[in-house]
């Protein structure tokens, strides 16, 4: 079946206030829920769920003791129950025109994302929902930050960029 998503978001933008000219900041909160997510189980999960009796129909999708050929595990897409995530996106920048009496402009810009939760529910009986927010083995660390410093004139531009990813855990399922 097709995926069905609901998204709620709201934010605030502050652009060049009188007390801080050349300063801009944007803060956005988001909450997303997707039902009937099209995804797939890992090969290890298919074998484990077969032997645990959680997904007996998966037992026909692999052969790990094939005497006549290659061993295989057939990984196919199906509809997960849901994925829910919420978090915060922040962007800020400040520019200094003609800094130190030069004709160029120096700009500092930062982008940050904070993930509060990233809950996956495959909907299979006997399995539990998994919250991977803060797990650094995927793409859901607590914080991701990108900082960019730029100095530019009419003739050239120099830019330095840094990335920072927060510390985290290998898996929340072990807590």
């Amino acid at each position: 079946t097709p995926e069905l998503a609901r998204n709620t978001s709201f934010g605030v933008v502050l652009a060049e206030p009188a007390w801080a000219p050349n300063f801009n900041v944007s803060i956005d909160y988001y909450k997303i829920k997707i039902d009937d997510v099209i995804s797939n189980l890992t090969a290890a999960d298919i074998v484990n769920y077969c032997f645990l009796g959680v997904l007996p129909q998966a037992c026909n999708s692999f052969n790990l003791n094939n005497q006549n050929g290659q061993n295989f595990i057939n990984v196919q897409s199906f509809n997960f129950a849901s994925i829910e995530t919420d978090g915060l996106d922040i962007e800020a920048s400040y520019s200094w025109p003609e800094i130190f009496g030069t004709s160029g402009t120096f700009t500092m810009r930062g982008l940050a994302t904070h993930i509060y939760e990233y809950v996956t529910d495959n909907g299979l009986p006997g399995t539990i929902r998994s919250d991977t927010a803060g797990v650094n083995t995927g793409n859901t660390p607590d914080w991701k930050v990108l900082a960019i410093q730029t100095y530019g004139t009419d003739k050239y531009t120099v830019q330095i960029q840094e990335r920072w990813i927060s510390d985290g855990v290998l898996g929340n399922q072990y807590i």
Side-chain angles (χ1 to χ4, degrees), residues 116-131:
Y116 294 110
E117 71 173 358
Y118 193 93
V119 178
T120 304
D121 181 2
N122 62 25
L124 296 174
T127 63
I128 59 171
R129 297 166 30 119
S130 173
D131 185 358

Side-chain angles (χ1 to χ4, degrees), residues 93-156:
S93 67
Y94 193 84
S95 294
W96 290 271
E98 300 180 7
I99 190 168
F100 303 123
T102 65
S103 63
T105 300
F106 180 72
T107 304
M108 290 178 45
R109 181 175 179 222
L111 297 97
T113 296
H114 177 59
I115 300 174
Y116 294 110
E117 71 173 358
Y118 193 93
V119 178
T120 304
D121 181 2
N122 62 25
L124 296 174
T127 63
I128 59 171
R129 297 166 30 119
S130 173
D131 185 358
T132 57
V135 176
N136 287 353
T137 55
N139 195 27
T140 54
D142 284 328
W143 282 97
K144 291 189 286 187
V145 177
L146 174 66
I148 305 165
Q149 301 83 41
T150 306
Y151 178 76
T153 67
D154 291 340
K155 297 186 181 207
Y156 66 91

Side-chain angles (χ1 to χ4, degrees), residues 41 45 49 54-55 57 78-81 121-129:
L41 295 171
D45 282 342
Y49 291 158
V54 172
L55 195 61
Q57 61 270 33
F78 75 101
N79 287 101
F80 271 25
D121 181 2
N122 62 25
L124 296 174
T127 63
I128 59 171
R129 297 166 30 119

Side-chain angles (χ1 to χ4, degrees), residues 17-74:
W19 51 269
N22 304 322
F23 175 70
N24 296 294
V25 66
S26 169
I27 302 171
D28 297 295
Y29 170 81
Y30 62 88
K31 184 171 185 73
I32 302 168
K33 181 170 186 209
I34 308 170
D35 291 323
D36 293 325
V37 176
I38 299 171
S39 189
N40 57 336
L41 295 171
T42 65
D45 282 342
I46 290 170
V47 174
N48 289 337
Y49 291 158
C50 164
F51 287 110
L52 291 173
V54 172
L55 195 61
Q57 61 270 33
C59 296
N60 296 327
S61 65
F62 64 88
N63 188 342
L64 301 178
N65 194 18
N66 191 354
Q67 304 293 327
N68 301 319
Q70 292 184 338
N71 294 329
F72 68 91
I73 300 174
N74 187 13

